[in-house]
Amino acid sequence: MRNDTQASTKDQILDIAESHFATFGFAGTSLRGIIKEANVNVASVAYHFGSKDDLFAAVMQRFAAPVVEAQLNRLSSEMSQPNITLEKILRAFYEPPIQLVHSLGAKGEKLSLFLGRCHSEPEPIFSLVDSHFASCRNRFIDAFKALEPDKTESVYHWRFEFMLSLIVNFLTRHKNIMQRYQTSTDWNANDVVDMLCQFCLNGMSAQQIKK
Amino acid sequence: MRNDTQASTKDQILDIAESHFATFGFAGTSLRGIIKEANVNVASVAYHFGSKDDLFAAVMQRFAAPVVEAQLNRLSSEMSQPNITLEKILRAFYEPPIQLVHSLGAKGEKLSLFLGRCHSEPEPIFSLVDSHFASCRNRFIDAFKALEPDKTESVYHWRFEFMLSLIVNFLTRHKNIMQRYQTSTDWNANDVVDMLCQFCLNGMSAQQIKK
DNA sequence: GTCTATAATTCGATAGAC
DNA sequence: GTCTATCGAATTATAGAC
């Protein structure tokens, strides 16, 4: 059926796999469904990736890891400047995924769903996902701590979680949400980043957690 | 194996089904796993509930519907008072699920996971879940609108989504989160409600979305 | 690297005795 | 209402020819 180069078979599988994992979740995705839509044969998944778990890990590595890398690079860049602010930290977190997803069009919508939904996967996928985002979480929590060192430890953790939950919700549901109040589902990346930052920044201001 | 009354067979299945759906997601849950842990036979699920979809719907109805009902009753009560504020609306949304989950102990932890994770289920479960929460969403969006009628339509929708995303994240991940900064995973319901309300209230203040 | 064929499980659902 | 037995379909994974 297919006679392209070997690279495109692997990429074809990754593309469709991301789409299926995003749409149906890990457990709801079948390798047969992927290979059928990708026009490759059953054994090619095992040959190129291994098991279903391995394929998911490959999708994570290929599509999600660059996002984390961009966030961390951006954060490092901001933290090396003298006039660091909370808003700059938030923008370092929000801008890379939002702008990447938006710039990719229809493919970005799939990536968006994948990035959002992978955070609520049951075990053992949860641990795999967490291992990809642990360094990101730790670095941003450290940034919150460095900026305002006098808060309770729990404050920094919940700041990260609230910051994360807003974008997870956006990535997973923005299409459904926008359909409720407007006919188009088009959106502007800068406006979304502003909206997330604004809400999160205000939410974090004067935030204090009882012991 | 079992010789209780018929009511407890049904309840037993519901309890274990909630736990499995919460832990493994809908697609990752098997009826065989449920009936094994519930010590009932395979056919009893079909007899009492019907299909796997029907069982999920029954769990939603039994465990999630009362939460929505409590939220709406609370909101109606608040809205009938003359001195309604944004914070009172937020507390009407957050307090019923948080306090119920907390009051149920280990069973509440399962309910918490179920309530959180059901919001990110793929289709066709998403539509079922959404049908249970649509009235809640509409009523709270109306409340935001009634309180501050001069904002853009999208503002009300994103307010609800942000408010929702904070509690979904809490319900799904609080155990993991707390393990990162303290040894115990015990928590105080009032403190959590305060934390969610405070963040969300500040986030909504001065919130404005570009057209 | 690609493909067919199939092994080995597991699943949801149901028939039918008690 | 309960239970055993089982059907038919779907799954992951792999063996082996080309």
Side-chain angles (χ1 to χ4, degrees), chain A residues 1-210:
Chain A
M1 177 70 75
R2 290 179 43 80
N3 51 3
D4 305 347
T5 71
Q6 80 239 23
S8 76
T9 293
K10 226 176 152 177
D11 288 346
Q12 179 79 347
I13 294 175
L14 281 174
D15 276 343
I16 307 296
E18 181 196 45
S19 170
H20 280 227
F21 284 138
T23 307
F24 309 115
F26 178 78
T29 293
S30 78
L31 298 181
R32 325 285 287 220
I34 294 174
I35 61 106
K36 185 176 176 183
E37 188 174 338
N39 280 327
V40 298
N41 71 87
V42 225
S44 59
V45 172
Y47 177 77
H48 287 290
F49 301 99
S51 68
K52 185 182 179 183
D53 291 50
D54 295 331
L55 176 59
F56 188 93
V59 175
M60 275 292 293
Q61 187 59 36
R62 173 90 155 69
F63 294 97
V67 173
V68 171
E69 194 185 338
Q71 288 172 317
L72 291 183
N73 286 340
R74 178 75 184 277
L75 180 64
S76 290
S77 167
E78 297 287 0
M79 294 299 282
S80 66
Q81 307 272 347
N83 51 347
I84 182 70
T85 64
L86 197 51
E87 182 172 2
K88 287 180 180 176
I89 297 176
L90 297 183
R91 299 194 91 88
F93 184 78
Y94 284 135
E95 273 188 10
I98 294 291
Q99 289 185 343
L100 177 62
V101 160
H102 186 266
S103 68
L104 294 179
K107 190 172 164 60
E109 291 299 317
K110 293 294 183 181
L111 177 58
S112 177
L113 256 181
F114 180 81
L115 283 174
R117 191 163 274 158
C118 74
H119 285 282
S120 54
E121 285 289 348
E123 292 287 357
I125 302 300
F126 177 82
S127 291
L128 173 72
V129 172
D130 191 67
S131 71
H132 274 81
F133 289 95
S135 65
C136 178
R137 180 177 61 235
N138 292 333
R139 290 273 301 280
F140 274 92
I141 286 176
D142 287 346
F144 292 144
K145 207 178 301 188
L147 188 68
E148 303 176 25
D150 56 346
K151 297 197 177 291
T152 313
E153 183 72 12
S154 62
V155 169
Y156 308 120
H157 284 80
W158 285 107
R159 282 190 169 188
F160 181 82
E161 289 297 327
F162 288 163
M163 178 175 72
L164 176 66
S165 66
L166 296 185
I167 194 173
V168 164
N169 188 64
F170 176 85
L171 291 172
T172 314
R173 296 162 57 103
H174 65 90
K175 200 166 184 176
N176 288 302
I177 298 165
M178 289 175 178
Q179 282 174 341
R180 295 192 197 114
Y181 66 85
Q182 61 187 22
T183 53
S184 163
T185 56
D186 294 343
W187 48 282
N188 179 287
N190 289 327
D191 289 351
V192 167
V193 171
D194 287 349
M195 177 176 72
L196 294 169
C197 281
Q198 192 179 60
F199 192 97
C200 204
L201 187 63
N202 283 324
M204 288 178 177
S205 73
Q207 179 198 38
Q208 193 59 50
I209 294 174
K210 299 177 191 172

Side-chain angles (χ1 to χ4, degrees), chain B residues 1 6 9 41-43 47-48:
Chain B
M1 176 71 75
Q6 80 238 26
T9 292
N41 71 87
V42 224
Y47 177 78
H48 286 290

Side-chain angles (χ1 to χ4, degrees), chain B residues 65-92:
Chain B
V67 174
V68 171
E69 192 184 339
Q71 287 173 317
L72 291 183
N73 287 339
R74 178 74 185 277
L75 180 64
S76 290
S77 167
E78 296 289 358
M79 294 299 284
S80 66
Q81 307 271 347
N83 51 346
I84 181 69
T85 63
L86 196 51
E87 183 173 2
K88 287 180 180 173
I89 297 176
L90 296 182
R91 298 194 91 88

